[in-house]
Amino acid sequence: MPPPIAKVVTDIALDREFDYLVPAELAGQLRIGSVVRVPFGRRWARGFVVGLAARSDYPNLKAIESVTTDLPLFDERMLRLARWIADYYAAPFESAIAAILPAAVRREGARFKEQLVARVCPDAAPAPADEAALAKKSPRQALAWERLKQCREATVAALAQETGVALAGLRSLEKKGWIRLAKGVVRRDPHARMTVLPTTPPPPTAEQTAALAAIRREMEAPQPGVVLLHGVTGSGKTEVYLAAIRAALDAGQGAIALVPEIALTPQTMERFRGRFGDTVAVLHSHLSDGERHDEWRRIAAGQARVVVGARSALFAPVRPLGLLVVDEEHEPAYKQDEAPRYSARDVAVMRGHLEGCAVVLGSATPSLESYRHARAGKYRLVNMTRRVDRRVMPTVRVVDMRLEAEKAGGAHLLSQELIEAIRLRLGRAEQTMLFLNRRGYATTVMCPACGEVEHCPNCSVKMTYHRQTDLMLCHVCGAVRPAPAVCSNPTCRAPNVKMAGVGTQRVEAAVKKIFARARVARMDSDTTGAKDAHAEILGRFRRGDVDILIGTQMIAKGLDFPNVTLVGVIQADLSLQMPDFRAAERTFQLLTQVAGRAGRGDVAGEVFIQTYAPFHPAVQSARTADFETFYDQEIELRRELGYPPFSRLTSVLFKGADEAAVNACARDFAARLRAALPAAVRLTGPAPAPLAKAKNLYRVQLLLWAASARNYVPALRELLKSFKAPKGIAIAANVDALSLT
Ligand code: ADP
Ligand code: ZN
């Protein structure tokens, strides 16, 4: 007899579990993870069963009305993970449940797509004379029959499209006893149009062999742990993941590989599908709901055993799970930006721990957090220091733009050295990538007479000038304004407003002017708005139809183009100037990643980093590709200042249209929190966030610091639950916040 009480979490956000009676007739179907329909107040609600119990402390319980899915959507272990997420990230429990299930699966009415399918009858053997007669009488039916004889089954819709046959025609074939028509499930396959040639693994390098051995030792350990795979760009980390996944499959287990969304290129997918074929499922934000539903179900049914995807693929129902890989583990994109604001990397480590499965974190530039764990022996550190095939690391040259400005009598976009280097590549039919992490033409428009800058009316940022459209654009809220002809300060109105600061459009214009005959393409979010535009630009570049590719961080990561022998960073200072204590770390990561795009083929690569801060440690360490030195310097700074990883940092952001009300609310919240916290927790603010206003909402921030998040998260979560924010003010807690803007 299953227990008569079920604990249910409903879709309605209350951060509570409710007890319901289990009617005898449902007892057999009910499990942890079942989706149920329950009476809730005077309405109905959908809920998830998160516990079963023999007794309840509450009288007069209502009964569950029905079970609405055929299968439970999660098991005990995933439930434990969801509870951990809610507790650790101070998030409502139902938001954690929502996070572990794709909306396409969770949604009411989510189901497989059924269509009418025609199948050849197993014993159908029409006489050649009958077939000939059919061809005469009804050519379309004959065509459909020929088609079906080849493929044995096809959807009615597909047959109609290919042969023009009507449903009535197929029915007549059915009457002859040649085929049968029936409803069938049709898989919505995100790769239906992609043919991938199977690949075999290359013979591993010595470093790859050692890395794989270390991972396999973890996989086979009684309590598998975490491996931090620190390998320079092009050292063959992906091959190591593929080999480790193969080992998991051979042991009858499945695997999940997380990649940052930006790295989910067709190229990455091809590598996985080439090696593992149809057992690969993908989960990411570019799938349709139907595709996501079917992929998830394929995983749950054990038909797909290798999952590749972005952040949320971490929760894929792979059973049994033998390996979790987080590629580019340092990527901020792994942090979810709505509740629960989890870090997919950190949750992956927790899932591995809860399920006893090995976790591999890979990067050329590990996060300070992970590297510190590795140094302390919490993670097993594996180094890959050489590129495969004896390809050399690119030569990195730092160009001091202060000297350039003196030489050229004013600031220039491209240094003479970089221009010469590009010219050399053009002459040798090699390719160049130019990187600048800012789109648009000019960063701002400024009046030389009064200094007035064009600000967004809704946000506390400058507006960017876009040349194609001749408009000023706010990159935060999307507001547009005509480009001003005169100063917009009413008391000034001086003509000749000046463009200042550079964006990718300006780089493109400059490059086209210097190299009139070069084929130039630009890749940033202005040129990749259309579906497939991204793949189209990269395709042209890969085919060699483009000599110079200019782009934002979209081109910085993961791309592998053997003919690129030159990379230019137009202005390394942009990311150094970010108002963020991780600015140096981010700059080092970005420069290393960008530099890693050069020289991946037979010709050695060269990299130029243009900067006004040539001696900054982030720039110098990127030049020598020396992660250890960078780490040692940066970690000392963090230690002195008490920044992460020496403390757990959490932000609480208050947003609202009424500035005074937002401030008052934040102060009130801070006072109550202070009263509930142990003295060891440092609380700073509330103060305006660096981005003080966005989309007409004022942003005020409170920061919490302590050696462990456990010191303050329980109190924070309680307060978030009980605190009544005034109408129009939203409060968002971000545990282990990565961005403090
Ligand atoms: P990373 O992920 O470290 O940047 P990749 O795994 O993408 O490196 O490898 C870089 C390139 O080298 C890829 O084109 C890959 O196919 C190739 N490669 C990797 N391992 C080997 C090997 N053992 N032998 C030959 N080529 C390899
Ligand atoms: Zn704006």
Side-chain angles (χ1 to χ4, degrees):
M1 234 342 242
I5 307 293
K7 298 189 173 293
V8 173
V9 166
T10 65
D11 271 354
I12 306 161
L14 293 164
D15 203 8
R16 275 186 61 188
E17 295 168 27
F18 295 88
D19 288 359
Y20 284 91
L21 293 173
V22 181
E25 69 274 16
L26 294 184
Q29 301 172 42
L30 216 62
R31 308 255 182 300
I32 298 279
S34 290
V35 185
V36 291
R37 190 170 133 95
V38 291
F40 195 82
R42 305 170 74 184
R43 313 181 272 164
W44 294 101
R46 235 163 57 90
F48 298 96
V49 176
V50 297
L52 295 164
R55 298 186 305 104
S56 169
D57 297 334
Y58 301 93
N60 308 327
L61 296 183
K62 292 182 183 163
I64 290 176
E65 200 241 4
S66 59
V67 179
T68 60
T69 41
D70 49 347
L71 289 172
L73 295 186
F74 49 83
D75 62 11
E76 202 92 46
R77 280 172 297 184
M78 287 311 285
L79 180 63
R80 253 164 63 207
L81 190 64
R83 283 196 201 282
W84 181 83
I85 289 172
D87 290 342
Y88 185 83
Y89 291 103
F93 186 30
E94 60 277 358
S95 77
I97 299 257
I100 65 168
L101 296 170
V105 172
R106 206 177 352 112
R107 217 187 44 219
E108 195 141 18
R111 61 175 60 91
F112 288 106
K113 185 174 175 188
E114 284 197 304
Q115 273 190 356
L116 209 50
V117 178
R119 285 193 187 86
V120 176
C121 290
D123 48 0
D130 290 343
E131 288 187 324
L134 182 71
K136 258 219 185 102
K137 195 177 125 236
S138 168
R140 283 185 186 157
Q141 282 181 40
L143 214 55
W145 169 241
E146 283 307 315
R147 182 92 190 83
L148 275 169
K149 276 205 293 188
Q150 280 161 28
C151 60
R152 307 310 290 178
E153 70 170 67
T155 63
V156 170
L159 284 171
Q161 208 188 5
E162 282 171 35
T163 67
V165 73
L167 181 58
L170 291 171
R171 289 258 184 247
S172 116
L173 290 179
E174 189 178 30
K175 260 198 217 102
K176 291 191 204 313
W178 299 3
I179 67 167
R180 291 219 24 167
L181 293 171
K183 281 256 169 154
V185 168
V186 191
R187 176 175 158 206
R188 288 158 290 192
D189 179 1
H191 300 117
R193 282 176 308 153
M194 182 169 160
T195 43
V196 179
L197 297 178
T199 61
T200 45
T205 64
E207 284 187 333
Q208 284 174 327
T209 305
L212 182 63
I215 295 169
R216 295 199 57 168
R217 266 202 302 283
E218 268 330 310
M219 289 169 72
E220 285 152 19
Q223 297 232 309
V226 180
V227 173
L228 177 61
L229 181 57
H230 173 211
V232 298
T233 53
S235 59
K237 293 185 289 298
T238 311
E239 276 306 327
V240 173
Y241 307 150
L242 293 172
I245 292 170
R246 169 60 69 202
L249 289 174
D250 289 345
Q253 299 167 316
I256 299 174
L258 299 185
V259 296
E261 185 88 50
I262 204 156
L264 262 174
T265 54
Q267 204 182 349
T268 310
M269 288 316 308
E270 264 171 49
R271 284 181 82 173
F272 279 86
R273 302 234 316 154
R275 202 59 59 79
F276 303 118
D278 214 30
T279 195
V280 176
V282 296
L283 288 175
H284 57 77
S285 63
H286 294 302
L287 302 185
S288 70
D289 266 8
E291 287 169 343
R292 209 169 307 146
H293 171 269
D294 290 5
E295 288 291 84
W296 194 90
R297 287 292 186 148
R298 231 157 54 82
I299 301 162
Q303 291 157 344
R305 321 215 48 198
V306 177
V307 179
V308 184
R311 203 164 48 215
S312 63
L314 153 67
F315 303 111
V318 178
R319 292 284 173 236
L321 184 59
L323 183 69
L324 256 164
V325 175
V326 184
D327 189 27
E328 310 286 1
E329 64 88 27
H330 63 278
E331 268 294 319
Y334 282 125
K335 192 80 157 72
Q336 162 101 337
D337 53 15
E338 52 197 59
R341 294 178 176 79
Y342 66 87
S343 148
R345 176 196 62 214
D346 296 350
V347 178
V349 170
M350 185 43 77
R351 183 170 180 189
H353 177 72
L354 289 176
E355 300 202 12
C357 111
V359 179
V360 176
L361 309 179
S363 175
T365 53
S367 62
L368 264 63
E369 283 79 1
S370 296
Y371 205 71
R372 184 161 172 257
H373 285 325
R375 280 266 182 95
K378 258 182 88 177
Y379 297 170
R380 183 192 295 271
L381 180 63
V382 177
N383 286 301
M384 300 211 296
T385 57
R386 276 187 289 270
R387 286 187 160 183
V388 292
D389 275 358
R390 290 193 207 81
R391 279 169 217 153
V392 290
M393 291 296 284
T395 315
V396 182
R397 304 182 195 285
V398 175
V399 184
D400 187 341
M401 291 307 273
R402 298 169 306 183
L403 300 179
E404 271 301 307
E406 270 170 37
K407 265 193 291 186
H412 275 262
L413 257 181
L414 301 176
S415 61
Q416 211 49 49
E417 291 171 71
L418 181 53
I419 291 174
E420 286 317 314
I422 297 174
R423 202 184 307 284
L424 193 68
R425 292 334 183 272
L426 288 171
R428 295 203 302 227
E430 292 167 10
Q431 290 169 300
T432 297
M433 283 170 115
L434 296 179
F435 170 81
L436 177 70
N437 211 4
R438 192 153 57 194
R439 65 197 173 98
Y441 186 82
T443 333
T444 183
V445 171
M446 196 173 78
C447 169
C450 76
E452 174 89 356
V453 174
E454 284 288 321
H455 277 282
C456 173
N458 313 321
C459 311
S460 56
V461 297
K462 293 176 239 172
M463 294 186 96
T464 305
Y465 175 66
H466 285 243
R467 188 147 89 166
Q468 261 93 342
T469 46
D470 195 29
L471 288 172
M472 304 295 297
L473 178 70
C474 171
H475 286 183
V476 172
C477 73
V480 287
R481 273 189 182 179
V486 299
C487 175
S488 50
N489 178 353
T491 60
C492 173
R493 293 278 169 210
N496 303 326
V497 288
K498 286 249 179 322
M499 308 273 180
V502 293
T504 44
Q505 292 181 1
R506 195 160 185 172
V507 176
E508 184 185 20
V511 166
K512 281 182 167 162
K513 200 162 151 200
I514 302 170
F515 303 105
R517 289 215 301 276
R519 296 161 301 170
V520 180
R522 174 163 59 85
M523 193 158 117
D524 54 34
S525 47
D526 295 320
T527 61
T528 52
K531 193 172 189 282
D532 300 336
H534 190 257
E536 190 268 331
I537 299 175
L538 289 181
R540 274 197 291 144
F541 193 54
R542 176 176 309 282
R543 287 194 301 275
D545 296 343
V546 170
D547 301 310
I548 303 172
L549 179 65
I550 298 161
T552 54
Q553 56 178 348
M554 277 186 193
I555 66 166
K557 292 162 194 169
L559 302 176
D560 188 8
F561 297 112
N563 198 33
V564 174
T565 59
L566 174 65
V567 165
V569 178
I570 303 300
Q571 212 178 314
D573 312 87
L574 279 187
S575 64
L576 279 177
Q577 290 155 359
M578 296 286 282
D580 182 340
F581 70 88
R582 285 192 178 85
E585 185 182 1
R586 293 277 173 260
T587 304
F588 174 73
Q589 289 165 349
L590 202 57
L591 293 178
T592 309
Q593 294 293 340
V594 184
R597 300 312 107 210
R600 296 175 76 93
D602 297 331
V603 182
E606 201 176 19
V607 179
F608 287 80
I609 300 177
Q610 302 191 148
T611 173
Y612 290 93
F615 299 107
H616 192 285
V619 174
Q620 282 301 324
S621 304
R623 182 177 68 80
T624 50
D626 185 353
F627 175 79
E628 297 267 331
T629 304
F630 174 74
Y631 174 84
D632 287 334
Q633 291 190 19
E634 183 67 16
I635 202 86
E636 264 325 301
L637 264 177
R638 302 274 183 95
R639 191 198 308 274
E640 276 166 33
L641 300 171
Y643 284 148
F646 296 94
S647 58
R648 299 320 275 258
L649 174 60
T650 289
S651 73
V652 186
L653 185 66
F654 302 81
K655 284 198 289 194
D658 178 344
E659 191 175 10
V662 175
N663 276 313
C665 170
R667 278 197 300 271
D668 184 17
F669 190 95
R672 287 176 202 226
L673 190 57
R674 174 78 279 166
L677 286 177
V681 179
R682 191 153 72 94
L683 214 138
T684 51
L691 179 59
K693 186 183 163 201
K695 304 179 186 176
N696 274 321
L697 298 178
Y698 291 90
R699 307 169 83 251
V700 170
Q701 189 165 261
L702 183 67
L703 299 177
L704 290 118
W705 315 69
S708 160
R710 252 171 272 149
N711 293 351
Y712 54 72
V713 168
L716 175 61
R717 190 175 178 205
E718 275 313 306
L719 184 58
L720 286 168
K721 231 194 272 190
S722 64
F723 188 82
K724 297 265 178 297
K727 211 161 167 273
I729 296 183
I731 306 178
N734 191 347
V735 176
D736 291 341
L738 284 186
S739 160
L740 299 180
T741 50

